[in-house]
Amino acid sequence: MPLHEFDSAQAAAPPAVAARTQRLRACATRAAGCACCGVARRLLWLCFAAVRHGDTAIAEMLAAEAEHYVDAGAHQGGCPQVPRPAGLRGGRTPAQGRVPGPAGHPGVLVAATDAGWKRGTCGLGYVIDDGRWGMHGWKFGPQDPTGPAKVLVSELRAVGLLLDRIDDDGADLVLLLDSLQALRFLSAWQGGDTGRMPDGYDLRPRRYGAAPSLVRLAARVARMPGLRLEHVKGHSGHPLNEAADSLASIARRRVTEVFDSPARAAGLVEAFLRAWHTPALAA
């Protein structure tokens, strides 16, 4: 069931029916491969049909039956309707942490960002040489505003994720990227050309009237004259770039898989930062 169809039908339902169907939103709109949710989805369709015909009692009965199938049925692995186990949730929520180690260069932060996109799932990652790291992953939906330049937009969003973390530090920042396209956009924004956006990127306001993320990022970069942008070749063994790439991969995996992703991420970051700092310490 398309998301807009579910939202319209739910909005027309009596409050009691709407409340019961809310928890079945993922089942109705995203669990296409789960047979259990398929049965519940058909019941929801009949429920909304009953609402349209003014039969609230039948609608409530069908909603309750759909809930039963969702609660008691055997779901397919990775079904979005099934809550993740405690402690391993949050595949679609940004994760961040900090590992122990050298503090980096006083007054200067060196950071790397990266993004990965595969089969409709995106992952973003960043690492800072003082031990901080973060990642975020999600699936692209039919109403996603990214446009056709998904890899480029994802690379830029990874930069936004990083800047959200260090916004108040006041330190100079050296930013390492392996995407020349992303570097060109960042350089243009830093030079004041904040209206330049990737082709096809949707510039309409987001929820609650918020500006699109890249519009906000462009304005932020324009206010960072001290930002130093540097290109690094991807998959060349650069420790910070490899760490950011690994975090993006973990972020993409954790959208559909259940595993201890924060521990995995922290271990990789610690190893890559050790490699990054060791030559400087030895010198």
Side-chain angles (χ1 to χ4, degrees):
M1 182 183 297
L3 181 60
H4 66 86
E5 183 179 323
F6 177 87
D7 287 341
S8 297
Q10 189 185 51
V17 175
R20 300 196 78 154
T21 59
Q22 178 59 31
R23 63 182 290 261
L24 306 177
R25 184 184 182 89
C27 158
T29 62
R30 294 193 288 119
C34 178
C36 171
C37 284
V39 175
R41 190 160 48 249
R42 288 190 288 274
L43 288 166
L44 280 174
W45 187 89
L46 293 171
C47 166
F48 291 141
V51 168
R52 290 194 298 272
H53 287 87
D55 199 334
T56 302
I58 293 296
E60 289 186 359
M61 181 191 73
L62 289 165
E65 190 70 9
E67 287 181 306
H68 169 75
Y69 271 93
V70 164
D71 292 338
H75 292 266
Q76 179 181 347
C79 174
Q81 182 64 41
V82 180
R84 292 173 178 264
L88 298 179
R89 299 180 184 177
R92 293 167 59 87
T93 304
Q96 63 182 32
R98 187 166 192 165
V99 299
H105 304 288
V108 178
L109 295 176
V110 182
T113 62
D114 206 358
W117 185 85
K118 187 176 182 180
R119 298 191 186 95
T121 306
C122 175
L124 315 178
Y126 71 80
V127 63
I128 310 172
D129 67 342
D130 65 359
R132 286 178 288 177
W133 60 268
M135 59 185 179
H136 186 200
W138 70 90
K139 276 188 173 293
F140 287 102
Q143 299 178 344
D144 189 273
T146 299
K150 288 182 170 54
V151 175
L152 170 59
V153 172
S154 298
E155 292 277 0
L156 293 169
R157 283 173 172 161
V159 175
L161 189 67
L162 164 71
L163 295 184
D164 284 342
R165 182 78 181 275
I166 64 174
D167 189 45
D168 298 325
D169 283 4
D172 292 331
L173 175 65
V174 179
L175 178 57
L176 311 176
L177 296 95
D178 60 15
S179 169
L180 288 171
Q181 271 191 307
L183 280 168
R184 283 193 283 269
F185 273 90
L186 292 167
S187 296
W189 294 343
Q190 193 175 29
D193 187 8
T194 56
R196 183 180 178 185
M197 290 288 150
D199 291 341
Y201 182 68
D202 190 345
L203 293 174
R204 290 176 294 182
R206 304 301 191 250
R207 186 178 298 181
Y208 307 122
S213 60
L214 293 196
V215 173
R216 300 195 305 271
L217 176 62
R220 176 183 289 183
V221 171
R223 299 192 301 268
M224 300 178 67
L227 174 65
R228 287 171 48 194
L229 303 168
E230 295 185 7
H231 177 253
V232 294
K233 186 177 180 181
H235 306 292
S236 62
H238 189 288
L240 295 187
N241 175 256
E242 294 292 343
D245 177 76
S246 296
L247 289 170
S249 296
I250 293 172
R252 191 179 68 245
R253 283 181 52 210
R254 71 195 291 262
V255 175
T256 57
E257 300 177 30
V258 177
F259 64 105
D260 194 354
S261 54
R264 172 70 172 161
L268 285 170
V269 168
E270 191 167 4
F272 281 121
L273 284 180
R274 190 181 305 117
W276 167 254
H277 285 293
T278 297
L281 293 175

